[in-house]
Amino acid sequence: MAQARLTIDLDALCDNWQSLNALSQTETGAVVKADAYGLGVDRVAPALARAGARTFFVAIAEEGAKLRRILGPDVDICVFSGHMPGDLPLIRDARLVPMINSIDQMLMHVEGLPGHPFGIQLDSGMNRLGMEPAEWSALRDIALAQKPRLVMSHLACADEPDHAMNRRQLQAFVAMTEGIDAPRSLAATGGVLLGEDYHFDMTRPGIGVYGGLPFSDAKPVVSLDIPVIQSRDVLAGESVGYGNTWVAERPTRVATIAGGYADGIFRAMGPRASVWAGEHKCKVLGRISMDLIGVDVSAVDRVPETVELLGQHQGIDLLADWGGTIGYEILTALGARYDRSYLGG
């Protein structure tokens, strides 16, 4: 078979959530947007619920409605995008909690679904989603009188602990919410690691649960093993792959493996990337193409059936460095073509 195997370790994922949960004295939610960061919300969310998560966060109402079908009635599902036009039936029928981002969304929500739960998202300086201070000041008393489930904001630079923006946003959030009765939330994974001042009443880790930075103590969650289709001996002066970007300086044993940018293995990784054959590190040769990658297996006694791209030797953040991106993008880009299997959970 030429199909690569992606293995998701649900026990490791739940251990990561529990470790982040243990770092605060507050409730710990779980972010499962984008199909649980590409790992399959139908398997990830139930595992996290069994681990103890009772509040889940998604990006859009459609994700929330799917999650409700998966998890049933006994959890809260918050929607970061709030209440968008056309969302009313989904919010009502799936009992979602939209995080209201503007006066317009508030009016749409209370007029369309009077008495239905909602939360508030505030802009503490990121300028992405949420009410700015002046808008919040005008709406605050009206909104609080209707008992929002949660008042939240989001940190822009939490993965940089010493960045001055963290303290500025904390001060802004405190100023906007001091004295309110509603639960408050500011910290995602990076905010959890910043310490108690950022925890408030609920944290909502995402990337750290899935094994990524800035949670450096996270256990690896994903492994990716790619089959070798063919191998050949390449002579000095011969090239490998499109564009002749790699030319052999000496005789080289080259394996062609069944993966490429159609599977979420970014083309930009090529010049720096490697795979592992057992305990041998094997450099990627030439360009990563749509379905195929050449790797140097000269140091291996016997050409393996598969090589490891993700696993114990290298994780999502190393791949992200090779591609000039972040671990989030590596996870969410992992393609649908993989044979996926799950451990534990």
Side-chain angles (χ1 to χ4, degrees):
M1 292 177 64
Q3 187 178 27
R5 169 161 288 194
L6 181 70
T7 304
I8 296 108
D9 188 338
L10 295 175
D11 287 340
L13 181 142
C14 290
D15 285 348
N16 291 337
W17 181 86
Q18 289 168 336
S19 295
L20 289 162
N21 178 47
L23 292 176
S24 74
Q25 302 302 310
T26 67
E27 181 183 352
T28 302
V31 180
V32 294
K33 61 185 179 179
D35 195 29
Y37 288 48
L39 299 188
V41 71
D42 57 329
R43 299 296 299 268
V44 168
L48 289 171
R50 289 190 291 270
R54 288 295 172 266
T55 302
F56 292 82
F57 293 85
V58 295
I60 59 176
E62 288 80 0
E63 290 180 335
K66 178 180 179 180
L67 185 59
R68 179 63 72 198
R69 293 192 294 270
I70 293 167
L71 292 181
D74 297 329
V75 300
D76 287 332
I77 300 172
C78 300
V79 181
F80 288 135
S81 62
H83 190 141
M84 295 291 289
D87 281 352
L88 188 153
L90 290 173
I91 292 171
R92 179 194 61 215
D93 296 345
R95 296 192 300 106
L96 307 179
V97 182
M99 307 307 296
I100 301 299
N101 291 291
S102 66
I103 290 176
D104 289 343
Q105 284 197 352
M106 176 62 76
L107 290 174
M108 189 186 315
H109 186 74
V110 299
E111 291 175 0
L113 292 171
H116 187 95
F118 67 94
I120 297 288
Q121 186 157 196
L122 303 177
D123 176 19
S124 57
M126 191 175 184
N127 285 308
R128 191 173 67 169
L129 281 181
M131 300 183 199
E132 296 183 359
E135 189 177 17
W136 172 237
S137 179
L139 191 64
R140 173 177 165 140
D141 291 343
I142 296 171
L144 293 177
Q146 299 184 64
K147 305 296 183 184
R149 290 280 186 89
L150 187 68
V151 177
M152 64 162 283
S153 189
H154 193 67
L155 295 166
C157 301
D159 56 343
E160 302 177 59
D162 297 327
H163 201 295
M165 185 67 169
N166 295 321
R167 182 58 58 173
R168 288 201 299 270
Q169 284 193 260
L170 175 62
Q171 292 169 346
F173 186 63
V174 169
M176 295 171 80
T177 62
E178 200 160 23
I180 71 173
D181 291 332
R184 295 180 288 176
S185 177
L186 182 61
T189 298
V192 173
L193 302 175
L194 289 176
E196 184 178 357
D197 288 350
Y198 293 82
H199 294 169
F200 294 93
D201 302 294
M202 178 182 290
T203 64
R204 40 179 214 280
I207 189 63
V209 173
Y210 301 94
L213 293 174
F215 186 33
S216 58
D217 292 334
K219 294 181 177 180
V221 171
V222 293
S223 59
L224 177 57
D225 297 295
I226 305 177
V228 173
I229 299 176
Q230 188 178 10
S231 64
R232 70 186 65 241
D233 292 313
V234 174
L235 301 178
E238 293 186 322
S239 64
V240 171
Y242 285 121
N244 294 6
T245 59
W246 183 85
V247 177
E249 295 179 356
R250 62 186 64 84
T252 305
R253 187 70 171 166
V254 176
T256 300
I257 64 174
Y261 53 74
D263 304 295
I265 304 170
F266 299 154
R267 189 171 183 265
M269 294 176 184
R272 301 174 65 189
S274 298
V275 298
W276 287 79
E279 295 303 313
H280 294 279
K281 187 176 182 180
C282 303
K283 181 174 173 52
V284 167
L285 304 177
R287 290 180 181 167
I288 292 171
S289 54
M290 190 170 184
D291 315 292
L292 302 167
I293 303 170
V295 298
D296 182 354
V297 293
S298 303
V300 182
D301 292 336
R302 183 174 62 85
V303 176
E305 293 183 359
T306 64
V307 295
E308 173 197 297
L309 180 64
L310 279 169
Q312 294 300 316
H313 293 96
Q314 53 198 34
I316 58 172
D317 292 293
L318 180 58
L319 268 64
D321 287 344
W322 293 339
T325 184
I326 56 177
Y328 298 74
E329 192 171 9
I330 298 298
L331 282 177
T332 56
L334 292 172
R337 189 158 56 179
Y338 296 127
D339 175 22
R340 293 180 175 227
S341 61
Y342 292 85
L343 303 177

